[in-house]
Each structure stands twice: as structure tokens, then as C-alpha cells.
């Protein structure tokens, strides 16, 4: 078992194999390129005027990574728009963007199970491009079945024809 996480001074790996009595050995790997965290990246969504196509990208500060259009992106756009609307209404960070999951799924014409798959795929795509903490791109309040986009660093643009 290897668990990897990033800190300011590099990437740390916890190794569980070969250690006596199941103890974890740690090793720091110095990296010239530090992976960005979810809180450090900015998200940009592009939506077609007819709302039929949506794509997204992340800006890491030194580069913008185009993540393209996928079926799950419109779910993220909807969550991002709710967060932006709450920000415009003056809500605090902790209260911005929360939506009831089942209602959102119905509104988007999908089952709650499909919505969970979309969330999983969004997290996976961010992980694949090296964003640390990618699981937080969609946050959940399990007791109220609410979800929201996990960052306030968002922009939604409607593409010109």
C-alpha cells in the first residue's frame, strides 16, 4: 500500500509494504513541479448558447489544462452557477452553492445514481491531471443530501456561435 499526498515542500509517500508489523515507512520525494491543490486552481466552464455542450478547464497558475467536454460537465456547470448566484446574493463561503441532490438530479433529467457516477468521473478526471484533493470538487452534506461545487474560484462563459 502506498498513500501519496502533497505539501509545500514536495510529495510525501507512505509505504505500507515490507514494513515490520504493518508499520508505515515515510519518504519525501523532492519535486521540481509541485502538483496544485484544489484550493489553488481556478475553474473555467464554457457552455454553448443552446446549453447542449459544456467543457471545462483548470488554471493551475502557471498553465491552463483543457479538460474538454464530458457528459458530467453540465452537472458541474449547474453547481458552479448556483455557487456564483449565492455569491452575488452576498451569502458567506460556507453557505454558497448548496443544492438538494435528488431535486438537482430530477431537474437535470437523470437518476441520483447517474449523478453520483458523474461526480465520480469529475473527481477522477481532476485526479488524472494531478490536482491534489480532487475529491473535493463536489462536496456533500450527507445528512441533508445536499451537494455543491467545491471551489469559489469559478467562471462560467457562454461561448459565442
Amino acid at each position: 500500500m502506498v498513500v501519496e499526498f502533497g505539501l509545500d515542500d514536495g510529495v510525501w509517500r507512505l509505504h505500507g509494504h515490507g514494513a515490520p508489523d504493518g508499520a508505515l515507512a515515510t519518504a519525501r520525494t523532492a519535486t521540481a513541479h509541485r502538483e496544485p491543490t484544489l484550493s489553488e486552481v481556478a475553474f473555467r466552464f464554457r457552455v454553448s448558447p443552446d446549453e447542449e455542450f459544456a467543457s471545462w478547464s483548470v488554471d493551475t497558475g502557471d498553465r491552463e489544462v483543457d479538460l474538454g467536454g464530458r457528459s458530467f460537465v453540465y452537472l458541474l456547470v449547474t453547481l458552479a452557477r448556483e455557487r456564483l448566484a449565492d455569491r452575488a446574493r452576498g451569502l458567506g463561503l460556507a453557505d454558497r452553492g448548496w443544492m438538494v441532490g435528488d431535486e438537482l438530479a430530477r431537474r437535470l433529467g437523470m437518476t441520483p445514481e447517474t449523478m453520483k457516477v458523474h461526480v465520480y468521473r469529475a473527481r477522477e478526471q481532476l485526479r488524472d491531471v494531478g490536482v491534489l484533493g480532487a475529491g473535493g470538487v463536489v462536496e456533500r452534506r450527507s445528512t441533508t443530501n445536499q451537494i455543491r461545487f467545491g471551489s469559489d474560484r469559478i467562471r462560467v462563459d457562454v461561448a459565442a456561435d
Side-chain angles (χ1 to χ4, degrees):
M1 171 185 75
V2 176
V3 178
E4 185 175 286
F5 59 96
L7 297 173
D8 289 338
D9 63 344
V11 175
W12 287 80
R13 290 188 181 90
L14 299 174
H15 300 271
H17 56 83
D21 301 320
L24 293 176
T26 62
R28 184 174 78 76
T29 304
T31 56
H33 171 72
R34 187 179 66 77
E35 300 297 335
T37 65
L38 183 69
S39 63
E40 294 170 337
V41 299
F43 295 88
R44 181 175 179 200
F45 296 96
R46 292 171 197 84
V47 183
S48 64
D50 62 4
E51 302 276 317
E52 291 296 321
F53 180 78
S55 64
W56 67 324
S57 62
V58 292
D59 185 340
T60 66
D62 60 345
R63 64 188 170 107
E64 185 167 346
V65 180
D66 184 1
L67 299 172
R70 304 280 195 283
S71 59
F72 60 78
V73 177
Y74 196 74
L75 167 66
L76 300 178
V77 167
T78 304
L79 292 169
R81 284 176 169 163
E82 184 69 18
R83 189 153 181 152
L84 289 169
D86 284 351
R87 181 169 66 190
R89 286 191 283 273
L91 270 65
L93 275 174
D95 298 320
R96 291 180 190 163
W98 292 106
M99 301 179 81
V100 176
D102 292 342
E103 292 173 14
L104 176 60
R106 266 191 303 281
R107 179 173 141 191
L108 295 175
M110 65 179 73
T111 66
E113 292 76 22
T114 299
M115 190 170 70
K116 289 176 185 173
V117 170
H118 284 334
V119 169
Y120 171 80
R121 289 182 177 153
R123 290 171 172 163
E124 185 177 50
Q125 189 177 27
L126 274 184
R127 254 185 241 112
D128 289 348
V129 297
V131 176
L132 298 172
V137 69
V138 175
E139 298 176 333
R140 288 189 186 278
R141 286 180 174 163
S142 58
T143 56
T144 60
N145 190 29
Q146 291 179 307
I147 65 172
R148 73 171 178 175
F149 193 77
S151 173
D152 209 48
R153 299 182 66 189
I154 45 181
R155 181 172 140 189
V156 178
D157 297 323
V158 176
D161 282 330

